[in-house]
Amino acid sequence: MDVTRVSENVYSIGVLNPNVRISDVIVPTECGTTYNSYLIKGEKNILIDVTHPRFFDEYIENVRSVVDPSKIDYVIMNHNEPDHSGSLEKLLEVAPQAQVLSSTAGCIYLRNILNKKDGYRAVKEGETLDIGGGKELRFMMAPFLHWPDTMFTYFAAEKMIFTCDFLGAHYCEPRMIDKYIDNLGQYEKCFKTYFSAIFGPFKPYVLKGLEKLNSVEADIVCPSHGPILTKGNQLERSKELIKEWSQPETHNKKYIPIFFCSAYGYTTHLAEKISEGIKSVIADADVEIMNVNEHPLDELAGKINNNDAFLLGSPTINKNAVPPIWNLLSTVDVINIKGRHASAFGSFGWSGEAVPMLLDQLKMMKLNVFESGYTVRFVPTKEDDQAAFDFGKRFAQQL
Ligand SMILES: Cc1cc2nc3c(=O)[nH]c(=O)nc-3n(C[C@H](O)[C@H](O)[C@H](O)COP(=O)(O)O)c2cc1C
Ligand SMILES: [Fe+2]
Ligand SMILES: [Fe+2]
């Protein structure tokens, strides 16, 4: 990356990765990404966030083009996921005098990321760091944006805040500032994808993070992926968008989606009977029966996370529940839906592992699991239909 001077003392010195198409195993990066890092040059030289381990050689050249690494006084780690901390070990080899600062949780993680016990200093909410020239940096804790360790670093003298993943995007253009973005439409698309993937599970924390951000005067937001956001360009709009995307959904009626897959229609049939049972108790409930194979995953992800209770239906195939149902479960925001009422059902042939496996998983995710689900061997009989109806009824009665 060409080094970009953001302000008199601040340089953007991160690395571009235009070709990556998937990050963190599951996050789409259609437009590549960048691993941003910032250098404040002055009486004290300070690095904020480092970079992905694969790009250290390029990164250290960027650092060297602004300052001799042996002259770095502090490395501030706002968040220690390895896309930011993965190069820290190598960096410290050429900057052994640098003191590493992070949140309390961040220092704990660093011990197991660098496999080195000491050498980190934990900073607290509101703590300041004197950087000389009458200037200081202030630390603001911002847990779960994206990990429990996350904090922001505020540079009042430059009206600038460093937010790591928060307000970032997996988007790669060589000029790192929003006013130079060539394809704004594409950027906004990537900003949304990134937000859903990284912050979808942490929406209440996003709203708190925004409040925190708005409590200081910050005209320039420096995230650690994608372009820097500036007042009068993308900053206001980006803040508005994530605020809108983080509002809790409200339903007038009880919303109870039933997600299922079915090879021959037997599990489908059970879904219908269970739904009738639910409606016999809550007449105006919005019970939506959805074949998981017929809807895009992001639509289903929204629905599995925003409901009053939900059910999963799967036949047993090869001693397992079917992959689309597992896939759907992987989108659950475990923090937000702790304690939600849920259960599972399905038709099976001989061994019937699907339902108990799903229930175990739901319990592991700390949901409130109802009974031991409902199962039927092969084709449901009239009695099974009644039992499925009754299962739906009992499920609804406890809501
Ligand atoms: C490829 C395949 C593998 C299966 N493996 C199992 C199994 O391991 N254990 C079991 O109990 N049933 C197994 N079954 C039987 C189905 O669970 C059973 O036919 C069920 O009634 C299908 O319900 P559905 O119409 O809702 O898909 C298998 C069926 C298929 C087609
Ligand atoms: Fe992260
Ligand atoms: Fe990140």
Side-chain angles (χ1 to χ4, degrees), residues 24 79 81 83-84 145-147 150 164-165 194 198 225:
D24 301 346
H79 163 46
E81 191 164 3
D83 53 337
H84 311 290
L145 300 175
H146 158 228
W147 279 1
T150 303
C164 202
D165 285 340
Y194 177 85
I198 306 292
H225 300 287

Side-chain angles (χ1 to χ4, degrees), residues 255 257-261 288-304 324-325 327-328 331:
Y255 176 54
I258 302 182
F259 306 97
F260 76 95
C261 283
E288 188 176 17
I289 304 179
M290 305 177 84
N291 183 333
V292 171
N293 281 326
E294 290 172 2
H295 298 262
L297 190 61
D298 57 349
E299 179 195 338
L300 296 166
K303 294 189 169 183
I304 201 167
I325 296 288
N327 238 355
L328 175 61
T331 68

Side-chain angles (χ1 to χ4, degrees), residues 50-71:
V50 186
T51 206
H52 194 289
R54 212 178 307 145
F55 299 97
F56 177 74
D57 293 344
E58 194 180 324
Y59 175 70
I60 197 65
E61 284 318 305
N62 291 348
V63 175
R64 283 203 171 100
S65 72
V66 185
V67 75
D68 175 352
S70 70
K71 302 267 174 355

Side-chain angles (χ1 to χ4, degrees), residues 79-312:
H79 163 46
N80 294 282
E81 191 164 3
D83 53 337
H84 311 290
S85 67
S87 279
L88 181 57
E89 188 179 1
K90 281 190 176 166
L91 174 82
L92 292 175
E93 285 169 16
V94 291
Q97 72 299 331
Q99 190 171 32
V100 180
L101 309 185
S102 195
S103 64
T104 303
C107 290
I108 294 170
Y109 300 169
L110 278 173
R111 286 188 197 127
N112 295 108
I113 288 171
L114 271 64
N115 285 327
K116 185 170 132 291
K117 261 197 187 156
D118 308 311
Y120 324 110
R121 187 176 123 198
V123 293
K124 301 238 157 6
E125 171 68 35
E127 191 172 331
T128 54
L129 178 73
D130 183 351
I131 61 169
K135 296 177 184 176
E136 61 179 28
L137 297 176
R138 173 148 45 108
F139 305 107
M140 302 163 75
M141 299 303 128
F144 294 103
L145 300 175
H146 158 228
W147 279 1
D149 64 336
T150 303
M151 61 180 197
F152 302 155
T153 297
Y154 179 53
F155 190 8
E158 305 271 359
K159 293 188 185 165
M160 199 180 277
I161 189 161
F162 302 88
T163 55
C164 202
D165 285 340
F166 193 61
L167 284 164
H170 285 316
Y171 185 77
C172 183
E173 274 193 31
R175 289 187 295 175
M176 287 304 300
I177 303 182
D178 55 2
K179 64 183 173 193
Y180 300 125
I181 295 173
D182 273 334
N183 191 338
L184 258 187
Q186 192 63 28
Y187 164 72
E188 287 204 350
K189 193 172 158 219
C190 293
F191 182 73
K192 182 160 195 190
T193 307
Y194 177 85
F195 179 84
S196 310
I198 306 292
F199 293 107
F202 304 115
K203 288 177 180 175
Y205 293 96
V206 170
L207 295 175
K208 284 187 201 158
L210 269 177
E211 259 178 45
K212 209 155 228 192
L213 191 68
N214 288 332
S215 72
V216 294
E217 206 180 340
D219 296 347
I220 305 176
V221 170
C222 299
S224 290
H225 300 287
I228 292 164
L229 306 178
T230 57
K231 193 174 167 184
N233 292 293
Q234 283 298 111
L235 179 57
E236 291 84 350
R237 177 162 167 75
S238 299
K239 287 202 280 186
E240 251 167 54
L241 284 173
I242 66 168
K243 186 172 177 187
E244 181 189 319
W245 296 332
S246 300
Q247 296 307 316
E249 282 190 27
T250 48
H251 305 286
N252 295 331
K253 297 173 180 174
K254 280 218 180 315
Y255 176 54
I256 307 170
I258 302 182
F259 306 97
F260 76 95
C261 283
S262 183
Y264 306 111
Y266 307 139
T267 302
T268 318
H269 183 75
L270 294 178
E272 284 156 4
K273 293 294 155 198
I274 292 171
S275 158
E276 287 168 20
I278 294 171
K279 284 188 182 155
S280 76
V281 177
I282 313 172
D284 68 345
D286 179 6
V287 184
E288 188 176 17
I289 304 179
M290 305 177 84
N291 183 333
V292 171
N293 281 326
E294 290 172 2
H295 298 262
L297 190 61
D298 57 349
E299 179 195 338
L300 296 166
K303 294 189 169 183
I304 201 167
N305 286 299
N306 292 292
N307 54 60
D308 294 287
F310 69 87
L311 290 157
L312 299 172

